[in-house]
Amino acid sequence: MKSGIVIFGICLLVNLAVTSSENEITTYPENTPEMEVYRLILDSPKASFQHLADLLVMSQGEYGKYPDAKSRRERLNELNIYNMTNLQNPETTQLDRGALSKAMMNYFKLDRGMIFFLTGAERYALKDFQHHGLMQSTYSEWSKISGSQMIGIFNACEKAQQKKENWG
């Protein structure tokens, strides 16, 4: 009986360890090279607000120009893409689809619906984003996202923008 309880306890601990490592947000030191950061974001089971800032600054070709995480977040604010100044821990705060939608709508200057234009609310950014066909309508603004999903959505936005530019 005792050995059964011990084995059960060990299995439970192993399961908790595996589950917690799968649910962690990937972080990295300030001096991590740009392509290594990209790979770490891609492999992260949870995307953070810092991952978003790093990805968008990379896409601007300015990653090396802003050597620390805080300056990259401030750069998004300067460009009116997304304001992260009130976030407590952007490196470990998981990104949701509403925030991602708002940042992508602003970054790619996608057409805005009237309510998002008036309010700037993430909920309506997501609705407009879904209207553009860049995310399924089954998600709410609070749905969390992984690093690979974030990069996939970014790539879909780039393709949509290129298609729009080539058409008109």
Side-chain angles (χ1 to χ4, degrees):
M1 180 69 175
K2 279 187 175 184
S3 65
I5 292 172
V6 170
I7 291 173
F8 174 75
I10 291 171
C11 290
L12 183 62
L13 288 173
V14 168
N15 187 30
L16 287 173
V18 169
T19 303
S20 67
S21 68
E22 290 175 354
N23 291 325
E24 289 182 13
I25 293 176
T26 305
T27 57
Y28 33 84
E30 291 290 338
N31 59 352
T32 306
E34 182 175 345
M35 290 313 296
E36 179 66 12
V37 169
Y38 183 84
R39 188 191 64 74
L40 290 168
I41 292 171
L42 184 64
D43 292 341
S44 182
K46 292 182 177 181
S48 71
F49 281 86
Q50 186 62 51
H51 292 160
L52 175 64
D54 291 341
L55 177 66
L56 295 181
V57 171
M58 276 182 215
S59 70
Q60 292 277 343
E62 298 180 337
Y63 188 83
K65 188 176 172 183
Y66 299 95
D68 61 284
K70 184 178 179 187
S71 64
R72 291 190 293 272
R73 292 191 307 270
E74 289 170 351
R75 181 67 177 144
L76 290 191
N77 190 28
E78 290 170 13
L79 296 171
N80 293 318
I81 295 170
Y82 197 89
N83 186 351
M84 296 186 194
T85 54
N86 293 330
L87 288 174
Q88 296 273 338
N89 298 307
E91 295 90 354
T92 57
T93 301
Q94 189 173 1
L95 183 66
D96 57 58
R97 290 177 186 270
L100 177 64
S101 297
K102 183 175 182 176
M104 294 295 156
M105 291 287 294
N106 292 332
Y107 184 80
F108 289 102
K109 298 181 181 16
L110 299 172
D111 295 333
R112 299 168 179 231
M114 184 59 75
I115 298 176
F116 177 53
F117 176 77
L118 292 173
T119 66
E122 293 175 2
R123 174 181 183 79
Y124 300 111
L126 176 66
K127 297 297 181 193
D128 289 349
F129 203 65
Q130 291 167 335
H131 177 75
H132 285 292
L134 296 167
M135 194 180 298
Q136 294 176 350
S137 61
T138 55
Y139 295 111
S140 78
E141 70 267 24
W142 304 110
S143 299
K144 303 302 182 188
I145 196 160
S146 72
S148 62
Q149 289 171 323
M150 179 181 69
I151 289 173
I153 290 167
F154 178 85
N155 290 336
C157 289
E158 276 190 324
K159 286 179 185 176
Q161 185 181 43
Q162 287 171 353
K163 188 176 180 181
K164 184 178 176 182
E165 288 172 359
N166 291 338
W167 185 77

